[in-house]
Amino acid sequence: MEGEVLMPRVSRMIVQNQTAVYHVMSRTALDGFPLEAFEKDYLLGLIKRMSSLFFTEVFGFTLMDNHFHLLVKMLPEHEFTDEAVKERLVQFYGEKRAVAWEGRLPFVRQKLASLSEFMREIKVNFTRFYNKRHGRRGYFWGDRFKSVIVEEGETLINCLAYIDLNPVRAGIVERPEDYRWNSLGYHIQTNNKENFLSTDFGLKQFSVNGEKERVRLYRQYVYETGAIPQADKPYTKTIPEKIVTEERERNFEIGRKERFLYRTRYFTDSGIIGSREFVSGTYQQFKHLFQSKHEKKPKSVKGLDGVFSLKRLSEII
C-alpha cells in the first residue's frame, strides 16, 4: 500500500556451537480453534519423530487449540560423530534412504543442529497433513515462530511450569496432568513413553536417582505454582486450593522456595531470560542485531528474585 512503511525482518537470536535451551511458540493463522484432538495427536507424534532425528532434548510442551509451546534444548553438531549422525538417519529414514544422505554429512550435521530447521520440519509437515485432511490449500501457521533463550536451572523449571499450566490457566482442566497434550500429562498418563521427555532440569533439588521421583518433585512444583494467581492476568484460572491441599497430603513434602513468576509474559515476550550474568553474556553474542548504539542492560523481572530479561525480538529494530 502507498505510504506503508515495512519493518525490517529481525534476525533470530540463535546460540552458535554450544548447548542452548529455547522456549518456542507458534500460533495458527486460521480463525477459531482448529487443532482438535486428532490434530494434536498427530502434531505430538510429529514433534516426537523430529526430536529423534534432530540434535535435541525436549523438556516439555503444551499443544492448545490454536497454538503450541515447546521447551527444547538444541545440542551443538560437534557433539555427534559421523557414526551417530548415520545412526539417526537410518533410524528415521531406513537404511536404503539413509544411504543417499551419507555423501552430504556436513550439510546434514548443520541441519540437525538448527532450531529453525527443526521447527520448519514440524510446521511444514503438519501443514501438509492438515491441508490434506481438510481438503484445503495455503498456510496453516501464522507469523514465524517466537523463541526465547532460557537459562537452565531455576528459570528453566519456572518456564516449564508456565508451559504445563496453560490448560489450567485457560480453564480447560483443574489438574495439569489431566490434559493429554502437555508434558506433565504425558509423564503421568504414558509414564513418559519412549523416554521422549528429559527430566534433567539442572536443579540440585531435582538431582535425585530415578525419573519417578524427579517427576514427583516437578509435579509438586507445578501444583504450588499453579495455585498462585497471576497479578497481571486476574481472569485466568488457578489450581483450586482444595486440590493443592489434597496433593500436599499425598506427599508434597518440599514446598517451593521461591514464588512463581507472576508476570509470565516474560517467558514469551523476552528475547533472553535468566540470571543477570546469563542475560548479559548471551546479549554480547547478539549485539549486532540491535539498532541502538547504547548498551542494553538486563532488567529485573518482578515476582522472581534473581531473574532478569532483555527485550523481545520484535522490539529489536
Side-chain angles (χ1 to χ4, degrees), residues 11-231:
S11 298
R12 190 181 301 283
M13 289 195 291
I14 299 294
V15 178
Q16 301 294 335
N17 301 319
Q18 58 182 313
T19 298
V21 178
Y22 301 90
H23 175 201
V24 183
M25 301 138 279
S26 193
R27 186 173 295 272
T28 178
L30 306 186
D31 294 332
F33 305 99
L35 288 170
E36 299 182 357
F38 188 82
E39 281 85 9
K40 292 176 191 172
D41 285 340
Y42 185 87
L43 179 56
L44 177 56
L46 192 56
I47 292 169
K48 290 174 63 178
R49 286 186 65 237
M50 291 303 169
S51 67
S52 70
L53 174 64
F54 282 76
F55 303 155
T56 61
E57 188 175 323
V58 179
F59 291 105
F61 65 93
T62 289
L63 313 182
M64 301 295 283
D65 294 343
N66 61 359
H67 70 282
F68 71 90
H69 299 256
L70 276 178
L71 187 62
V72 59
K73 178 188 288 185
M74 298 301 300
L75 307 173
E77 57 183 278
H78 62 75
E79 290 189 6
F80 295 83
T81 64
D82 286 350
E83 289 305 314
V85 175
K86 291 177 184 178
E87 184 178 342
R88 284 177 178 249
L89 292 172
V90 169
Q91 290 177 347
F92 191 84
Y93 292 110
E95 287 194 30
K96 290 185 178 180
R97 291 185 61 194
V99 170
W101 290 97
E102 286 193 12
R104 306 176 64 194
L105 281 184
F107 166 79
V108 172
R109 184 186 298 280
Q110 187 176 39
K111 175 184 174 71
L112 298 187
S114 168
L115 175 68
S116 294
E117 288 295 318
F118 175 61
M119 291 300 297
R120 190 187 74 82
E121 290 290 342
I122 292 170
K123 295 175 69 173
V124 167
N125 280 280
F126 182 83
T127 298
R128 290 173 182 161
F129 156 79
Y130 187 90
N131 285 351
K132 182 178 180 180
R133 175 173 164 79
H134 292 273
R136 66 180 297 273
R137 295 181 179 180
Y139 295 105
F140 177 83
W141 303 104
D143 294 336
R144 62 179 184 157
F145 69 89
K146 292 175 62 178
S147 61
V148 178
I149 303 171
V150 179
E151 184 177 20
E152 295 188 56
E154 194 72 29
T155 306
L156 184 153
I157 207 74
N158 274 277
C159 187
L160 183 57
Y162 161 73
I163 291 171
D164 270 333
L165 284 166
N166 263 254
V168 174
R169 305 292 195 198
I172 299 172
V173 293
E174 290 186 330
R175 298 173 182 268
E177 69 266 26
D178 287 344
Y179 192 69
R180 196 164 92 211
W181 301 284
N182 70 354
S183 42
L184 196 51
Y186 190 85
H187 275 296
I188 303 303
Q189 295 187 32
T190 76
N191 196 28
N192 195 18
K193 185 179 179 181
E194 299 171 342
N195 293 317
F196 167 49
L197 298 175
S198 172
T199 55
D200 184 13
F201 302 133
L203 283 173
K204 185 176 181 180
Q205 57 265 45
F206 288 92
S207 299
V208 294
N209 293 325
E211 182 176 289
K212 183 177 180 180
E213 178 63 8
R214 290 196 297 271
V215 172
R216 186 192 72 80
L217 289 171
Y218 171 62
R219 183 168 176 266
Q220 174 187 342
Y221 196 95
V222 172
Y223 268 76
E224 299 286 4
T225 294
I228 301 173
Q230 290 183 272

Side-chain angles (χ1 to χ4, degrees), residues 295-310:
E295 189 83 4
K296 298 292 182 181
K297 295 182 179 180
K299 293 186 177 180
S300 176
V301 175
K302 295 180 181 179
L304 196 64
D305 294 337
V307 175
F308 295 79
S309 76
L310 207 63

